[in-house]
Every structure is written in structure tokens, then in C-alpha cells.
Amino acid sequence: MAFGKVLDDKTSARIQRTVASSISRKGVDKKGTAFQMVLLTTLFITMLILVVLIFDVVQGGWEVLTTRLWGFMRGEIGSGTFPERLGVQQGLYGSFWIAVFVAVFAFPIGIGSAIYLEEYSRKNKFSRFIELNIRNLAGVPSIVYGLLGLFLFVEGIPFLTGPNSNGRSATSAGLTLAVLVLPIVIITAQEALRAVPSGLKEGSYGVGATRWETIRYQSLPYAAPGILTGTLLSMSRAIGEAAPLILVGATTGFLGSNPNILDVGSVRERFTAMPIVITEWTQKTNTVNEDVFIPSAAAAIVVLLVFVLLLNIVAIYLRHYFEKKRES
Amino acid sequence: MSTASTFQDQSKLENSIAIPEMPDRETEPTAAAAPATVAAPAATTPTHAVELSTPQSHSAFEAGTAQLEAETASDEALEQDEVPAKNLVYKVNDLNVYYGDYHALRNVDLEIEANEITAFIGPSGCGKTTLLRCFNRMNDLIPTARIEGMIEYLGVNLYDSQVSAVEVRRRIGMVFQKPNPFPKSIFDNVAYGPRITGLAKRGQALNDIVERSLQKAALFDEVKDRLNNSAMGLSGGQQQRLCIARAIAVNPDVLLMDEPCSALDPVATTRIEDLMNELKQDYTIVIVTHNMQQAARVSDMTAFFSVDVASETDTRTGILVEYGKTEEIFSTPKDTRTEHYVTGRFG
């Protein structure tokens, strides 16, 4: 007993009352509740926009998707004269090859740069200057990358990117988008590497591992989930980009009627991609075939969304897989 | 900057170290156990057995020094004769350590002997961890760190440009403040060092190393049925013993321990302390500790560090105040600062 003596009943009852009144709830925390409501509203607005967007496109493209999904996936971009032949095949092929170029060029170069910056480079003014620039590059509007791609890949090296198409090819587009997402890949990979606990690296160095062994056996496995998620998310960004593609010459309706998706030669020919197909079709309002193109555009958006969603699912799955591997 | 550049170049120097080879102490216990168990035929040749067992009873270090002396005798016999009695592992001579402009440690002179436990005590910021991390060139990992002065390890200047930091760390193991097992299985944690250093890549040889290291770290019985389970599932004390097993799996000569018990409860601490007393037979141990009772309990030698505040500039520098036998430091310290610290009046 803190009071040093046994209390009589009256005193202890008084103490009890005082304590009870001092710790009892004094009305509602108005500010706190208001703040919570504001936060909930912001979340609600976000969700509402998303739901409206998805509902709108699914509703618009519902007929196309339910009645002739396979034909739509295999169909040509066309002019609208034969609505039953209209489809997104060429767009899917173009987007597929763009994704391949991003994976082949942006991922290794980006991850390599990140490893160098995080693990090897000395932290001095020059390395800080480079990192600042990479961060700025991540914020540059995509149309600027389109201009860069036009100058470098279309007009600069047409003999490589597309001898028969004046450089306006899936190769140019893929390279342009690879450059576009490069800063994002570097930044996310750097952040994943920075999150590797220093104790892990010290433990490795402590038993006589070289820097390479430490990176190979400790840092990279630990950072792998983060690196992968970041790179795959940047891939979905690349697939959704339209503006740079217009500048590097994505066109519609020029592709062969029955292209083969795995025909590597086709990457140096004229091309189109999903965002371009959507852009083209939505521009057909107030034309004769408006009622053909507008539902098809909505259906194409759904297809692109599913495409991106699948990529994200793969990203989540891989992240989960590597995290489990890291812990076991 | 000079240390940083040395570290940059380490890959080139990996094969050009100048540290003399210590004998493989793993042969020692096996050889010692052999006559008792399987070596009955060997007993039929008693003269040889006696001759062989005599050098084995010496510590690994003495054997190493003998070899070192034999190797260097031809060119520098006189120098070796000057210190015949001491088995010095480390000889620190006028060492200064800086982190950028910050002078972390000033004018340290220290000698550490083989098969002893040396404790570094002192208040926070006094540079004891800094000195410990110089002993296996762990400070090379900090880009701004640089040292002046000399640290000799078995007579070789540790910071010589011909010395590889990677090789140094293979011979001088380290246990860290916070248990830092790798997010791998218990087996893979211990096997990591032997694998990367090429001691044993796989198979029975690797299994033996892992088992022996875990046994030495007094952990084997607790984990022998779940060697393939994640090390992250162990308790803090078990994790720290695993880190000790990981460190001794590469046959180091020295174990550096940076407050190894600070994250552990008293029971786990006692286990680690008992373990240190056992390991001392095979290894030279240097331990940094905030716990003075721990230093008094486990160590043979104690170094007391303190912070020296320059009155005009208010800059703080770590200094070595007193170094001596542990019982002397704790009972009859020569310096009043040491006395104040060990009696609890300061720090």
C-alpha cells in the first residue's frame, strides 16, 4: 500500500471516486473522429473513381467481349467496314514485343546500375549528382522520351531498328519505353538494396566474404522481392504508355493480316500497340462507324487492363515466392 | 581515404597476403582423441606416441608461433628473440582512428596475448567498438574511416597494402552486438563461411564442420533435429550462439565480440559467458562490453577506455586510459578515472 497505512472505508471510497472521475471518458474525441472521417472520404473518392472507370469500360465493351471475345482478340485493326473482323491482335503483338524489349534492356541495365550505385560507388558529390539526375529523369514527361526515341532510335539508327519502315518499328518503341522506365527500375532496385539490413552484410564480411560474395549471396536474395516488384510494375507502366509511341511511329492498319507473334523479324516492321489502338478507335466518334469503334475501344481497354492485372499478379506472386524463400 | 582505396583493391590482393599460416587446429582435438579411442595399435609404438603428444598439448598458438619463428628465423632471427615469453596476437602502436573529421580514437598502445580473453570496457562513444572493428578491418566498410599508426597481427601490419581485408576477416572472426543470422537454414548459416572460403563445399566434410562448429558453440544438441529449419526461428540467445558457430566454422585464430550479450537475457548471457571460457582454449577472444560484471567474470585482461573532452573546442575523443590484468583493473586501478568507472561513480 503506497499510503503506508491501512485506509478506513470512507477514505478509500473517496479515493475510488476521485480516480473513477479522473480516468472516465470525457465525451467523444471530436477532432480525432473528424480526421478519421476525412481520411475515409479520401479513400472512398479513390475507390469510387476506380469503380466508375472499370464499370464504364466493362459496360461499354460488354457486348463485344461476351459475343465475340476470341474473334476480337484475333481480329485486325481494320476500318470498321467489317465490324465482325475488327480486333486487337496487332496491338497485343506490339505490346508483347515492347514488354520483351523492356525486360531485355531496362531490367538488366537498371538493376546493374542500382547495384553499382548502392554497393560499389563511393558516396561523394558526383554520385549524389547522378542519383539526383536519375530521380529527375523518373519525373520527365513521357512525350519527351518519345522525342528522344524519335531522334535516337528512329532517325539515329534506322538500319538497326527498321530498315524497311524508316526506323518506325516495335524495336524503336521497345527501346524508347525501356529508356523511359530505366530510372524507375533503378530507383526501386536501389531502394530494395538499401533496405538490406547492414547486419546481414557485416555478418557476411565477418566470415571473410568478398564484396561480390556478399552481394551475390546476401544482398541480392534479400532485395529480390523488392527489385522484382518494382521492375514488373514499371513494365505495366511501359505497356500503358501511348504518347511516346505516337512519336516513334506506331500506326494502325499497316500490319500484315496474319502476323506471327513469335516472328522476330516483325519487330523491325511497322507496328502498333494496345494504347495506340485504343487512341485510334476512340477518335472515331462522330464518324459513320462510331457504333462499331466505341464499344470496341472499351473492350480493348478491358483487354489492356487484364493484361496489366496479370502482370501485377505475377509480380505479387513472385514477391511472395521470394519472400518465403528468404525466410526459410 | 587510404583505407577506402585499399578496400577497393582488395579483390586484386586476395591471393597476396603476407600473414603466416597457422596450423589447422582442427587436427588437434581429433589427434588428442585418437589415442583414447581407436588408436590402440598406435599404443604399441609408445616412443612415437609420447613424442607426438607433447607438441599437441601446446596451444595452437604456440605451435603457430613456432612455425612463424621457423619461417622468419632465416632473415630476422634477432627480432624474434627480443620477445621470447609473450605470445602476442595484436600489437597496437600509437593508433589513431578518424571518421571523416571526427577523431574517434587517440594514441592507443595495446598488446593482446593469445588464448586470453581481453575485455574492452568504457562509456559510450569511447572508441572501444571502433578499435575492435579495426582488428579485422571491418572499419574498411565505412568509407570515411581511416587510421594512423600500426596494428600488428602476429607480427604483420594489418593495414599494409599487401594485406587483404578479406583474408584478415577469414582468420579473425566477429560476433556482433545484435544477433545477425542469415535468413537461411541453421545449416546454411554455419556452412556459409566454409563454402565461400572453399574450406568445404558440400558432402560429409561440410557436415562435419557444421556439426563441430555447432558443438563448439554449445548449440548442436538444441538444433540437431532441425538443421534445415530457418535460423530466424531460434531464440535470441540461440541466434547469437549460431553466429558464434558461424564465426568459428572458418577456423579463425581470433574471435572479436562486440557486446555479444547486450540483446540477450541473463540466462542466455550466462551460456555465452560459459562458452567464451571454453572457446578461450582454442581462440584468442576480444570482447567489448558495457557490462562491467561481465568483464570481471570472463576476462583475463581489461582495457578501460574513456572519452576525453577537449575543453576549448568541446571535441570528444576516445582514449585508452588503463590496460592491465582484470583483477588489478577492478581491485587496484592505477588511474582515478578507471577507479571511478569500475566503482560506478561515473558512466
Side-chain angles (χ1 to χ4, degrees):
Chain A
M1 182 72 45
F3 303 97
K5 60 177 179 180
V6 178
L7 298 169
D8 58 76
D9 288 353
K10 225 172 115 184
T11 321
S12 68
R14 206 186 71 228
I15 289 171
Q16 202 185 349
R17 274 200 308 281
T18 324
V19 171
S21 74
S22 68
I23 63 171
S24 72
R25 186 191 289 269
K26 293 187 184 60
V28 188
D29 175 13
K30 291 198 189 71
K31 276 185 192 164
T33 316
F35 185 57
Q36 198 182 347
M37 294 315 287
V38 170
L39 295 181
L40 193 65
T41 316
T42 54
L43 178 67
F44 181 73
I45 292 169
T46 316
M47 295 308 292
L48 189 74
I49 294 169
L50 195 65
V51 167
V52 168
L53 192 80
I54 290 174
F55 180 78
D56 187 49
V57 290
V58 170
Q59 193 201 30
W62 187 254
E63 206 196 318
V64 178
L65 291 170
T66 47
T67 53
R68 47 180 291 268
L69 178 63
W70 185 240
F72 184 69
M73 300 291 278
R74 303 278 304 161
E76 296 165 35
I77 292 160
S79 59
T81 333
F82 305 102
E84 71 282 357
R85 277 206 237 150
L86 202 66
V88 292
Q89 190 187 41
Q90 290 131 322
L92 282 175
Y93 286 9
S95 288
F96 169 79
W97 279 111
I98 285 168
V100 168
F101 271 97
V102 170
V104 168
F105 287 93
F107 290 2
I109 294 174
I111 295 170
S113 309
I115 294 172
Y116 186 84
L117 283 172
E118 272 312 299
E119 305 284 343
Y120 286 90
S121 79
R122 305 238 190 108
K123 299 285 169 281
N124 54 25
K125 273 185 185 156
F126 185 64
S127 69
R128 274 200 295 277
F129 176 73
I130 288 177
E131 288 195 29
L132 183 74
N133 274 296
I134 291 172
R135 267 157 213 285
N136 283 336
L137 282 177
V140 169
S142 58
I143 192 81
V144 178
Y145 282 100
L147 282 168
L148 180 84
L150 177 66
F151 177 71
L152 276 183
F153 305 125
V154 177
E155 290 177 353
I157 47 169
F159 48 91
L160 285 177
T161 52
N164 306 321
S165 55
N166 292 327
R168 293 162 188 271
S169 65
T171 308
S172 296
L175 289 173
T176 306
L177 290 180
V179 174
L180 172 87
V181 300
L182 201 53
I184 308 171
V185 174
I186 295 174
I187 290 169
T188 49
Q190 255 188 302
E191 266 154 23
L193 285 166
R194 207 170 294 156
V196 176
S198 60
L200 215 57
K201 294 190 210 169
E202 287 187 337
S204 176
Y205 285 122
V207 293
T210 59
R211 194 191 311 224
W212 151 245
E213 285 158 347
T214 302
I215 291 170
R216 166 69 185 78
Y217 298 113
Q218 303 301 337
S219 299
L220 280 183
Y222 193 93
I227 293 177
L228 259 168
T229 322
T231 46
L232 283 170
L233 290 179
S234 70
M235 170 87 89
S236 16
R237 158 109 200 258
I239 283 170
E241 278 293 344
L245 297 186
I246 296 171
L247 281 175
V248 294
T251 44
T252 52
F254 285 92
L255 292 164
S257 54
N258 192 18
N260 181 353
I261 190 162
L262 294 176
D263 177 12
V264 181
S266 70
V267 300
R268 284 161 65 166
E269 301 301 325
R270 287 178 174 264
F271 77 108
T272 190
M274 286 304 286
I276 300 295
V277 174
I278 294 164
T279 318
E280 283 288 325
W281 287 351
T282 47
Q283 281 167 357
K284 306 270 187 186
T285 31
N286 304 322
T287 62
V288 207
N289 296 315
E290 184 185 10
D291 54 339
V292 173
F293 281 113
I294 300 307
S296 297
I301 290 170
V302 174
V303 171
L304 182 60
L305 282 179
V306 170
F307 207 71
V308 170
L309 190 69
L310 282 177
L311 261 181
N312 289 2
I313 287 172
V314 172
I316 291 166
Y317 173 77
L318 283 175
R319 177 182 199 113
H320 191 72
Y321 171 77
F322 276 100
E323 271 175 354
K324 258 178 97 176
K325 209 175 151 193
R326 182 164 92 187
E327 263 130 47
S328 64
Chain B
M1 276 302 118
S2 64
T3 60
S5 63
T6 322
F7 188 59
Q8 294 277 349
D9 294 335
Q10 71 180 27
S11 52
K12 284 183 233 155
L13 297 166
E14 252 164 60
N15 297 318
S16 59
I17 38 130
I19 304 172
E21 197 65 41
M22 288 280 276
D24 184 4
R25 76 165 48 78
E26 292 309 327
T27 59
E28 207 187 349
T30 0
T37 52
V38 270
T44 55
T45 54
T47 19
H48 286 284
V50 170
E51 276 171 11
L52 279 172
S53 63
T54 324
Q56 277 157 13
S57 63
H58 286 297
S59 75
F61 179 79
E62 281 169 298
T65 322
Q67 194 186 335
L68 171 63
E69 276 172 341
E71 279 172 5
T72 48
S74 49
D75 21 278
E76 287 177 274
L78 279 173
E79 218 175 43
Q80 288 294 324
D81 289 340
E82 283 170 17
V83 278
K86 280 183 177 178
N87 294 324
L88 283 188
V89 173
Y90 283 112
K91 189 161 181 281
V92 181
N93 199 348
D94 199 22
L95 180 77
N96 285 276
V97 186
Y98 304 84
Y99 296 117
D101 295 333
Y102 175 61
H103 195 167
L105 206 53
R106 191 174 67 206
N107 305 345
V108 173
D109 289 293
L110 192 77
E111 292 181 346
I112 290 175
E113 286 186 46
N115 296 80
E116 288 201 330
I117 299 180
T118 306
F120 290 176
I121 60 169
S124 298
C126 66
K128 51 195 190 302
T129 297
T130 296
L131 179 59
L132 192 77
R133 291 171 70 94
C134 287
F135 279 177
N136 68 343
R137 293 192 47 177
M138 214 61 180
N139 270 353
D140 289 17
L141 301 177
I142 300 164
T144 54
R146 77 197 152 83
I147 75 152
E148 283 168 10
M150 178 93 109
I151 302 177
E152 276 184 16
Y153 165 67
L154 299 176
V156 175
N157 179 7
L158 263 191
Y159 282 83
D160 189 276
S161 63
Q162 289 300 302
V163 170
S164 144
V166 170
E167 287 298 333
V168 165
R169 292 188 208 115
R170 285 178 189 182
R171 297 163 151 269
I172 303 168
M174 193 160 204
V175 177
F176 299 86
Q177 187 171 359
K178 198 168 153 257
N180 58 348
F182 301 136
K184 299 170 187 285
S185 72
I186 295 167
F187 184 92
D188 286 342
N189 260 277
V190 185
Y192 183 74
R195 276 180 180 144
I196 56 162
T197 53
L199 213 56
K201 293 277 184 192
R202 62 187 76 78
Q204 198 53 42
L206 185 62
N207 291 350
D208 288 347
I209 292 178
V210 170
E211 183 177 334
R212 206 163 47 225
S213 307
L214 284 168
Q215 260 161 355
K216 274 192 184 172
L219 185 64
F220 185 70
D221 290 338
E222 291 163 59
V223 300
K224 63 180 173 212
D225 300 325
R226 44 177 176 145
L227 288 177
N228 291 317
N229 289 16
S230 170
M232 308 313 274
L234 297 175
S235 73
Q238 288 174 325
Q239 286 189 358
Q240 196 62 299
R241 274 179 284 146
L242 180 67
C243 292
I244 293 174
R246 182 177 72 190
I248 59 189
V250 287
N251 283 332
D253 304 326
V254 182
L255 270 184
L256 305 175
M257 300 178 139
D258 186 3
E259 296 183 50
C261 302
S262 66
L264 306 181
D265 66 50
V267 178
T269 301
T270 311
R271 294 216 59 167
I272 303 264
E273 286 178 8
D274 292 345
L275 180 59
M276 276 164 29
N277 267 321
E278 284 166 32
L279 291 174
K280 158 183 166 177
Q281 294 166 4
D282 293 330
Y283 307 97
T284 305
I285 296 176
V286 185
I287 176 176
V288 165
T289 179
H290 266 293
N291 183 334
M292 275 182 286
Q293 284 77 31
Q294 183 171 61
R297 277 194 301 264
V298 300
S299 70
D300 304 301
M301 300 292 284
T302 297
F304 170 63
F305 293 80
S306 189
V307 185
D308 184 49
V309 184
S311 49
E312 329 75 78
T313 50
D314 199 40
T315 47
R316 302 160 69 86
T317 312
I319 46 164
L320 173 62
V321 176
E322 191 171 350
Y323 178 53
K325 287 205 163 64
T326 298
E327 58 262 32
E328 283 169 16
I329 293 282
F330 280 91
S331 58
T332 53
K334 294 188 185 71
D335 196 295
T336 47
R337 289 169 293 182
T338 316
E339 191 186 339
H340 284 177
Y341 188 78
V342 297
T343 53
R345 262 185 275 173
F346 148 71

